[in-house]
Amino acid sequence: QVQLVESGGGLVQAGDSLRLSCAASGGTFNTNTMAWFRQAPGKEREFVSGMSGIGGITSYADSVKGRFTISRDNAKSTLYLQMGDLKPEDTAVYYCAGSRRVFTTSSSEYDYGYWGRGTQVTVSS
């Protein structure tokens, strides 16, 4: 059973940067497609960014393109999300998710079978 633990969230000001980490254990992290989702208060969970297990194909939500960068370190079984030029609307709980997909990404939460508990990111104006 794969376990995912997010870290790196916090309270920052608009325009600041933050890096989230997601440490994986107990599974085949190296070949699995991974992604970041977020959920703001009163809103549905939404896709932020994904990265395929093979080939390193990445995808981003339009709202974060050019500001966020997803990456992974397979040697450390860790997924990252570098967030820049943060805006108050980026405030949310950020979740790491893993899929059995290997070669493609997906923006649908239904394609991801295991999830972390989330880390809070709060951006003040």
Side-chain angles (χ1 to χ4, degrees), residues 5 15 23 26 30 36 38 42 47 61 64 68 72 81-82 102 104 125:
V5 178
N30 291 2
W36 290 96
R38 67 186 181 186
F47 172 80
V64 306
F68 291 10
R72 62 197 296 163
L81 184 67
Q82 179 68 46
V102 174
T104 59
S125 56

Side-chain angles (χ1 to χ4, degrees), residues 8-113:
L11 173 63
V12 297
Q13 293 186 333
D16 284 351
S17 298
L18 205 59
R19 189 177 80 158
L20 305 183
S21 299
C22 170
S25 60
T28 56
F29 172 87
N30 291 2
T31 56
N32 290 126
T33 289
M34 302 292 295
W36 290 96
F37 286 77
R38 67 186 181 186
Q39 187 167 22
K43 295 187 177 181
E44 294 186 351
R45 188 158 54 185
E46 65 174 0
F47 172 80
V48 176
S49 181
M51 189 170 199
S52 66
I54 303 291
I57 297 171
T58 59
S59 59
Y60 297 90
D62 288 343
S63 60
V64 306
K65 277 181 182 176
R67 299 189 298 121
F68 291 10
T69 302
I70 190 171
S71 63
R72 62 197 296 163
D73 184 338
N74 287 341
K76 296 182 179 180
S77 294
T78 302
L79 181 74
Y80 301 101
L81 184 67
Q82 179 68 46
M83 305 186 294
D85 189 23
L86 283 161
K87 306 176 186 300
E89 51 263 42
D90 294 319
T91 295
V93 177
Y94 283 71
Y95 297 91
C96 174
S99 171
R100 293 188 181 278
R101 286 172 175 254
V102 174
F103 296 103
T104 59
T105 64
S106 171
S107 61
S108 171
E109 63 179 342
Y110 300 106
D111 284 329
Y112 295 85

